[in-house]
Amino acid sequence: MPVIKAFDLAYGRLRAPDLDREEAFLTDFGMVRADRTKTALYMRGTDAPHHLHVTELGEPRYVGIAVHAASPEDLDRLSRVEGASAVETIDEPGGGKRVRLTDPDGYQVEVVHGMARLDPIPLARPAVNSGSDKFRRKGELFRVERGPSHIKRFGHFVIMSKNFEKTLAWYREMLGFRCSDEFYMGDKSNVVGSFNRLDRGEDYVDHHAFFCIRGDKSGLNHLSYEAADIDDVMVGHEHLQGKGYQHMWGIGRHLIGSQLFDYWADPWGRVHEHWADTDVLNALAPPNLIDRASGADGPWGQPIPPIFRGHASP
Ligand SMILES: [Fe+2]
């Protein structure tokens, strides 16, 4: 049994030497400022959580991730794990309580509870017709504006680890992640990537909240945010392109998880993904072990480019 079953992802925490530049990027990426202090930037999406991205002022670094606990009792339980902090009051915008842990590669994992929720930001999106269902938008015109995507929520985080087995086992044990799919190369015991989802019992959740990659270095591969829908990813792509940001991979449709995806780097090379339309599974779905040599490309889209393969931000 894991120590807890995390209820949801909360936010990614980075460091950057220029909060104005990071805020400009994240705004162009489709987030909205929730708060900003002299030393940190808090960005939100259209959903209710107070923020889903934190940037602290400092030398560029991936600090870690945060997840929401289902209950205050879960924080108590985690605080008794060796090396964990006590239950702390969060002295930051959004408030709440937390326990801080350190993963096997030295990155911080915050487990939070009671963070403020804001009014969701209303967003009207047109229905999309298909050949077999062409009247979803009866009498209405498809009109969306050019500009940034509309980030809805924090969907998943991806880390590379040189301590792959240990790191994967640690996240599963602490946070209750459940295996969806794994890739192996050569021998079946040589797992090179593991997709894991939240465990909410019979409730359906995204195919993965946590993807762990075997690597010769450790760090953040990417933070991934759900956009409003497929057109929202497309419009956001053109917006980021027009602003001259570094494109990393996309647009395409993943095989594993099935998301339509698009990846962009912030001014310090930290990769942020837009996606829409993922597979959802519940805890009853069994894990799969897949031969990496059988191909990992989705049905269409740009193959993974060298700039993205093996990427890890320390
Ligand atoms: Fe992703």
Side-chain angles (χ1 to χ4, degrees):
M1 278 290 283
V3 181
I4 71 162
K5 292 177 179 177
F7 183 74
D8 204 354
L9 299 191
Y11 48 86
R13 189 184 284 270
L14 303 178
R15 261 182 218 148
D18 184 337
L19 295 184
D20 286 339
R21 275 183 84 193
E22 185 73 336
E23 181 168 353
F25 168 76
L26 293 171
T27 303
D28 285 324
F29 186 73
M31 296 180 189
V32 174
R33 184 206 281 199
D35 209 332
R36 185 163 156 181
T37 65
K38 283 202 175 80
T39 55
L41 167 68
Y42 303 84
M43 301 294 283
R44 65 170 294 189
T46 55
D47 278 1
H50 182 274
H51 54 267
L52 40 64
H53 193 290
V54 179
T55 310
E56 303 173 351
L57 189 59
E59 285 307 301
R61 183 170 187 257
Y62 165 55
V63 179
I65 58 117
V67 305
H68 291 287
S71 70
E73 291 74 33
D74 279 356
L75 294 191
D76 293 337
R77 214 163 279 134
L78 275 165
S79 70
R80 292 192 288 271
V81 167
E82 197 186 326
S85 74
V87 177
E88 305 170 331
T89 298
I90 301 176
D91 183 22
E92 285 183 286
K97 303 267 188 194
R98 75 174 172 194
V99 170
R100 283 176 298 118
L101 305 165
T102 305
D103 82 8
D105 290 319
Y107 294 105
Q108 175 176 273
V109 173
E110 297 167 83
V111 181
V112 306
H113 187 265
M115 181 202 277
R117 293 173 69 81
L118 307 172
D119 288 337
I121 298 171
L123 183 66
R125 299 293 297 179
V128 176
N129 296 327
S130 69
S132 61
D133 191 357
K134 58 183 281 124
F135 302 112
R136 291 182 199 150
R137 202 173 64 247
K138 273 185 290 209
E140 303 288 330
L141 308 181
F142 189 98
R143 296 288 182 270
V144 295
E145 287 180 14
R146 289 179 178 273
S149 300
H150 302 82
I151 296 300
K152 177 178 169 61
R153 52 184 281 276
F154 183 24
H156 59 263
F157 70 103
V158 178
I159 54 177
M160 179 173 288
S161 179
K162 58 184 185 205
N163 305 299
F164 176 77
E165 279 86 4
K166 203 172 166 191
T167 298
L168 178 59
W170 186 90
Y171 276 91
R172 284 180 180 164
E173 189 195 340
M174 294 299 148
L175 304 177
F177 289 122
R178 184 174 270 278
C179 181
S180 293
D181 287 297
E182 289 184 331
F183 277 126
Y184 70 91
M185 277 174 82
D187 192 85
K188 280 191 175 177
S189 65
N190 183 37
V191 174
V192 294
S194 176
F195 294 86
N196 297 266
R197 62 190 186 278
L198 299 169
D199 183 348
R200 284 203 217 147
E202 291 187 358
D203 290 345
Y204 285 84
V205 297
D206 291 357
H207 173 278
H208 53 277
F210 166 51
F211 178 40
C212 194
I213 305 168
R214 183 189 292 277
D216 53 9
K217 56 189 179 225
S218 297
L220 175 71
N221 179 262
H222 66 273
L223 297 172
S224 185
Y225 292 89
E226 183 174 2
D229 52 38
I230 287 171
D231 284 279
D232 202 44
V233 175
M234 299 294 191
V235 170
H237 176 95
E238 291 195 348
H239 180 75
L240 288 160
Q241 196 172 44
K243 294 278 181 173
Y245 290 108
Q246 171 75 55
H247 187 235
M248 296 297 287
W249 184 21
I251 297 171
R253 176 74 85 162
H254 283 311
L255 175 68
I256 307 298
S258 304
Q259 304 93 337
L260 182 134
F261 65 87
D262 193 26
Y263 294 85
W264 293 86
D266 82 352
W268 297 275
R270 283 80 63 93
V271 179
H272 292 66
E273 179 185 15
H274 278 150
W275 64 265
D277 188 19
T278 184
D279 297 331
V280 291
L281 304 173
N282 68 12
L284 301 175
N288 295 300
L289 184 60
I290 304 161
D291 185 355
R292 183 71 177 72
S294 68
D297 291 337
W300 61 268
Q302 187 199 15
I304 187 166
I307 191 178
F308 189 73
R309 191 186 287 279
H311 176 86
S313 297

